[in-house]
Amino acid sequence: MLDLLNAWLISPFDYGFMRRAVVGGLALSLAAPPLGVFLVLRGMSLIGDAMAHAIIISLAAGVMLISIGGSSVDLTHVLFGSILAINSTALLLIAGISTLIVVTLAIVFRALVVECLDPLFLRGQSRRSGWVHSVFLGLLVLNLTAGFQTLGTLMAVGLMMLPATSARFWSKRLEGLIGIAIVLAMVASTGGLLLSFHLDIPSGPSIILLAGVGYLFSALFGRYHSLAAKLRRKTTPLAVEQGS
């Protein structure tokens, strides 16, 4: 049993490319889900997707220019990511961006919470309250930039939004939402890499697919607003009546 666990969970990380990939995935898992939580709370869950699509339009222009120049460079990694192929320089970039996002979120955390709950109060306290929104959007762009390096343009939003929306089925507190979203993202990124290694499937889609499975499980069995929670609310009054 121990040999099987070692072969499936530990041995893959004997390879340098797997170690770099998991570090990059964990770094993104620390930075992306909190942004996703605030996007959901602010009713802006489609903003990240809109930004990703806007960047894809820009990438299309770049691809056209490269094609006109007659280059034969393979650009599929731009769309689907290359987390298994990131080098030390890219890893440092991802780690640096993730650290900057986490530190900045810690600094503006209280202002972000107030803006989510009562934006009019924040505007009344300061005429410069718009800087909070601008800083948040800047962090969002930085996160997408780091995500494109590993997961590609088509799936970078997934690691940010899927764990954040899944967490809403397990907690009603902001701290709980952020903590659960980070854990789910870490499990998805690490588990997706292991699936990619053992089953010889693309790493980016594996990570997002696993995050999607986590969302489906949460929607079915989560503590709040899930299908199981709704069934419990329907059966509880019947049980109370029978007991009385």
Side-chain angles (χ1 to χ4, degrees), residues 86-109:
I86 58 175
N87 53 28
S88 300
T89 303
L91 183 59
L92 287 175
L93 175 63
I94 294 168
I97 290 176
S98 298
T99 301
L100 177 61
I101 292 173
V102 172
V103 172
T104 307
L105 277 179
I107 295 173
V108 302
F109 183 81

Side-chain angles (χ1 to χ4, degrees), residues 115 119 121-134:
E115 190 189 25
F121 173 78
L122 184 63
R123 293 173 187 172
Q125 294 298 311
S126 174
R127 295 181 179 179
R128 299 180 179 179
S129 59
W131 69 268
V132 178
H133 186 70
S134 299

Side-chain angles (χ1 to χ4, degrees), residues 73-234:
V73 176
D74 184 12
L75 298 175
T76 56
H77 68 281
V78 175
L79 297 178
F80 303 106
S82 55
I83 190 171
L84 293 180
I86 58 175
N87 53 28
S88 300
T89 303
L91 183 59
L92 287 175
L93 175 63
I94 294 168
I97 290 176
S98 298
T99 301
L100 177 61
I101 292 173
V102 172
V103 172
T104 307
L105 277 179
I107 295 173
V108 302
F109 183 81
R110 182 174 296 181
L112 277 175
V113 173
V114 174
E115 190 189 25
C116 289
L117 299 179
D118 195 348
L120 294 179
F121 173 78
L122 184 63
R123 293 173 187 172
Q125 294 298 311
S126 174
R127 295 181 179 179
R128 299 180 179 179
S129 59
W131 69 268
V132 178
H133 186 70
S134 299
V135 169
F136 179 76
L137 291 181
L139 295 179
L140 181 60
V141 172
L142 284 176
N143 175 75
L144 291 175
T145 302
F148 293 162
Q149 179 69 32
T150 57
L151 299 176
T153 57
L154 296 181
M155 288 171 287
V157 180
L159 193 64
M160 179 171 58
M161 297 309 305
L162 284 173
T165 52
S166 300
R168 299 196 69 183
F169 294 105
W170 299 102
S171 178
K172 292 183 177 181
R173 296 179 60 85
L174 179 59
E175 298 86 351
L177 290 173
I178 293 176
I180 292 172
I182 289 175
V183 171
L184 291 175
M186 287 183 171
V187 171
S189 60
T190 306
L193 285 173
L194 290 172
L195 287 177
S196 173
F197 181 86
H198 291 294
L199 302 181
D200 194 23
I201 55 179
S203 53
S206 300
I207 293 173
I208 302 306
L209 180 61
L210 201 57
V213 171
Y215 174 81
L216 180 61
F217 179 85
S218 300
L220 291 176
F221 304 106
R223 188 176 180 183
Y224 305 104
H225 311 299
S226 67
L227 179 61
K230 293 178 181 178
L231 292 177
R232 286 195 298 268
R233 285 199 300 270
K234 290 181 179 180

Side-chain angles (χ1 to χ4, degrees), residues 18-81:
M18 284 292 289
R19 291 195 295 269
R20 290 190 294 271
V22 75
V23 170
L26 292 178
L28 284 176
S29 299
L30 280 173
L35 293 174
V37 169
F38 279 109
L39 281 174
V40 173
L41 292 178
R42 293 155 65 100
M44 298 170 59
S45 57
L46 295 179
I47 291 295
D49 192 43
M51 287 186 174
H53 283 82
I55 294 175
I56 289 176
I57 295 172
S58 301
L59 286 174
V63 172
M64 181 180 297
L65 291 175
I66 292 176
S67 300
I68 293 175
S71 175
S72 59
V73 176
D74 184 12
L75 298 175
T76 56
H77 68 281
V78 175
L79 297 178
F80 303 106

